[in-house]
Amino acid sequence: MIRTKEKILDTVLGSETKARALRFILRHPSQAFKLGEIARIINQNYNTTASFIDDLERVGIVQKSSNKDSASIVYGINSNFRNYEELRDFCLKIFPTSTDALIKDLKEAGIIRLAILQGVFLNQGAVNIDFFVVADDIDNKKFEKVVKELEADVGQEINYTLMNTSEFTYRYNIYDRFVRNILKRKHIALIDDLKLQAN
């Protein structure tokens, strides 16, 4: 299993805000956003986000324009930037989060039996599920916070499914296609107390 104590892009760029902001705009190449929107979506301080976006604009990675509807300033990736493709591939292929921190946060949200990452985390393109969790006694607010932080790290909304152990066991045993396809597809098992990977 891939285990990362640190968020690699954060370390390379020197801050979580920079990593999240850059990954976010790279994942939305045909869109432009207000600074406040970017800061909110990546769950970071507005002033810090604004400062970094300004830096990216100065070097030509980001371009700003006026929103036609509201006349406000919006920012998006400059796909004509000389090293755009190399920058995009580098930033989006690097694993986006710390698995150690994610495991810790998950365990604080409930009794986790199985936690799987795939889809956007492994650059698999459009798949039904990015994050699959089997858990009992879950604290929904804590779990939703985990998901929100993951989305901020990844730079987009993630598709996830949360299932309790009894439902999962039933569906697994009847060879439910949805469950079996998740397990069949290449993935990272963060937690596997059900010992499925050994079967």
Side-chain angles (χ1 to χ4, degrees):
M1 184 189 90
I2 296 174
R3 291 294 293 270
T4 54
K5 291 185 177 180
E6 304 294 336
K7 298 175 184 178
I8 298 171
L9 191 58
D10 296 31
T11 302
V12 171
L13 296 179
S15 85
E16 183 177 66
T17 302
K18 291 179 179 180
R20 287 183 172 184
L22 185 54
R23 190 179 278 117
F24 173 74
I25 59 174
L26 285 167
R27 286 201 187 277
H28 300 83
S30 61
Q31 295 175 263
F33 303 86
K34 297 178 184 178
L35 283 172
E37 287 181 290
I38 298 173
R40 176 180 55 80
I41 293 169
I42 68 173
N43 200 25
Q44 295 291 295
N45 174 273
Y46 175 88
N47 290 333
T48 307
T49 302
S51 176
F52 179 57
I53 293 296
D54 283 346
D55 289 343
L56 291 181
E57 189 210 347
R58 270 196 298 276
V59 297
I61 296 174
V62 161
Q63 57 187 2
K64 69 178 179 180
S65 57
S66 297
N67 187 315
K68 295 178 181 179
D69 297 326
S70 64
S72 58
I73 302 298
V74 292
Y75 297 81
I77 196 72
N78 177 15
S79 58
N80 293 318
F81 177 67
R82 181 177 179 182
N83 302 109
Y84 166 69
E85 291 185 0
E86 292 87 350
L87 179 67
R88 179 197 61 200
D89 291 347
F90 173 71
C91 291
L92 299 187
K93 285 182 180 179
I94 289 178
F95 196 71
T97 194
S98 162
T99 54
D100 285 3
L102 176 54
I103 290 169
K104 178 178 178 293
D105 291 343
L106 278 171
K107 288 183 174 179
E108 289 177 356
I111 301 171
I112 311 300
R113 309 294 189 187
L114 181 69
I116 283 174
L117 297 176
Q118 55 188 211
V120 68
F121 296 95
L122 298 179
N123 296 297
Q124 291 172 324
V127 298
N128 291 332
I129 294 296
D130 302 304
F131 186 38
F132 181 69
V133 177
V134 177
D136 298 310
D137 299 328
I138 203 77
D139 183 318
N140 288 319
K141 286 187 177 180
K142 288 183 178 179
F143 184 76
E144 287 169 6
K145 184 178 179 182
V146 170
V147 171
K148 184 177 180 181
E149 284 296 301
L150 270 180
E151 290 178 334
D153 279 339
V154 170
Q156 69 178 48
E157 185 176 335
I158 62 172
N159 297 316
Y160 72 91
T161 293
L162 174 63
M163 195 177 290
N164 63 42
T165 304
S166 60
E167 180 185 359
F168 173 80
T169 301
Y170 171 75
R171 294 176 67 168
Y172 179 79
N173 287 336
I174 64 168
Y175 285 81
D176 176 84
R177 181 179 295 179
F178 175 77
V179 167
R180 290 285 177 162
N181 283 345
I182 289 172
L183 299 175
K184 187 187 302 182
R185 189 180 296 116
K186 183 179 178 182
H187 62 265
I188 297 168
L190 298 171
I191 299 171
D192 182 17
D193 289 348
L194 299 174
K195 307 301 181 187
L196 295 175
Q197 307 309 306
N199 294 338

